[in-house]
Amino acid sequence: MDWFFVQDFQPVPIGSIYLLEGDEAHHLARVLRVKPGEKTQLFDGIGNLAAGEVVHVRKTQVEILIEDKQYVPPPALQVRVAVSFPKGDRLHWMMEKLTELGVDRVVPLTCQRSVAEAGAHKRDRLEKQVIAACKQSQRAWLLQIDPPQLLTEFLLKGGDWAMDPGYFLDPAADTPLGVAGRVESRPRTITVFIGPEGGWTDEERQLAQASGVNSARLATPILRIETAAIASATLVKHQIALWKTLDDE
């Protein structure tokens, strides 16, 4: 069942008709060429899902009979990637994969050696790419892209790093990225910091340490930004899955 993004369908009750318009209707009608009687899934990116049957197809509008609605709560433990953006297609590939992996938030970091900025036009493109990746991976919550922040400001305001740990990825760190298999209390957010291609400066390392963020490294010494982001997100999501397994035992 194909998924389609709508910004608001909560007022539409079960048994009524939802009129899908715009780009999503065009994709459904002109690209996928759906026919009346076919099933589809709508989502709004904030946990609301609505399954329905196509009843009428026009060039720019599709009528969908809503047959079922449900709400998917957000994850209890959020994964946040604070990253100095790479350039060009590498950035878009990174955002697509982080969405597929279930990362909840991305914070564009401005560091001393950053080379790419997260302007408004770039943000619009990234948000469209996130929506497309959510449709493909069928996740009910959109990955959120925060406003760009200076690393110094984010370290000071990003959270309580003692309660919600952060991991400052650094090839020079002694400790591999990872969390103990069983802990007394679960954090609400886990943040992974990924620096620019030129690496962190000594000043940035010292600031992270003073803020209470843990230094950690990946198994491979040097990775590109997007590879490090995907590898670290995979490790953190795997750790969360292990926690859930332990909780169920």
Side-chain angles (χ1 to χ4, degrees), residues 18 36 40 42 54 90 104-105 116 121 131 133 138-139 150 157 162 187 191-192 202 213 226 244 248:
Y18 180 83
T40 191
L42 306 178
V54 175
R90 292 165 50 207
D104 299 286
R105 309 191 75 87
H121 68 289
I131 291 172
Q138 298 188 354
R139 58 177 281 182
L150 294 172
K157 302 176 182 178
T191 304
V192 179
D202 289 340
V213 176
E226 66 276 16
K244 291 180 179 178
D248 293 337

Side-chain angles (χ1 to χ4, degrees), residues 7 22 24 50 57 59 65 88-89 98 114 141 159 173 178 196 204 206 225 231 247:
Q7 291 189 325
E24 295 290 74
V57 180
K59 288 184 178 181
L65 174 64
D89 291 341
L98 292 181
S114 292
W141 285 81
E204 289 170 337
Q206 292 167 6
I225 295 169
D247 288 341

Side-chain angles (χ1 to χ4, degrees), residues 53-169:
E53 179 180 313
V54 175
V55 295
H56 194 77
V57 180
R58 305 184 184 92
K59 288 184 178 181
T60 59
Q61 295 178 327
V62 177
E63 293 182 5
I64 300 170
L65 174 64
I66 302 300
E67 298 176 323
D68 182 58
K69 297 178 72 175
Q70 61 176 302
Y71 176 73
V72 178
L77 202 169
Q78 303 271 308
V79 177
R80 181 169 58 179
V81 175
V83 56
S84 178
F85 275 6
K87 287 184 176 181
D89 291 341
R90 292 165 50 207
L91 168 61
H92 295 279
W93 186 78
M94 179 186 78
M95 295 297 292
E96 178 184 78
K97 300 311 172 188
L98 292 181
T99 303
E100 291 177 11
L101 286 168
V103 169
D104 299 286
R105 309 191 75 87
V106 166
V107 182
L109 288 182
T110 300
C111 308
Q112 293 186 27
R113 294 171 178 165
S114 292
V115 294
E117 298 294 333
H121 68 289
K122 184 179 294 184
R123 183 186 179 92
D124 289 342
R125 287 187 61 194
L126 292 178
E127 288 176 345
K128 290 179 180 178
Q129 188 164 24
V130 165
I131 291 172
C134 283
K135 290 161 62 175
Q136 187 277 327
S137 57
Q138 298 188 354
R139 58 177 281 182
W141 285 81
L142 294 179
L143 178 151
Q144 298 299 306
I145 306 172
D146 288 2
Q149 297 189 50
L150 294 172
L151 171 66
T152 51
E153 293 180 353
F154 184 66
L155 283 169
L156 294 174
K157 302 176 182 178
D160 183 348
W161 303 115
M163 296 294 295
D164 296 319
Y167 296 93
F168 197 79
L169 289 193

Side-chain angles (χ1 to χ4, degrees), residues 190-244:
I190 294 177
T191 304
V192 179
F193 291 78
I194 299 165
E197 288 191 5
W200 306 111
T201 64
D202 289 340
E203 180 183 352
E204 289 170 337
R205 289 186 178 95
Q206 292 167 6
L207 181 60
Q209 184 178 13
S211 300
V213 176
N214 303 296
S215 293
R217 59 176 171 79
L218 293 169
T220 303
I222 303 294
L223 296 175
R224 284 186 177 273
I225 295 169
E226 66 276 16
T227 311
I230 293 165
S232 57
T234 302
L235 286 171
V236 171
K237 294 293 288 187
H238 179 66
Q239 183 63 57
I240 293 172
L242 288 178
W243 278 343
K244 291 180 179 178

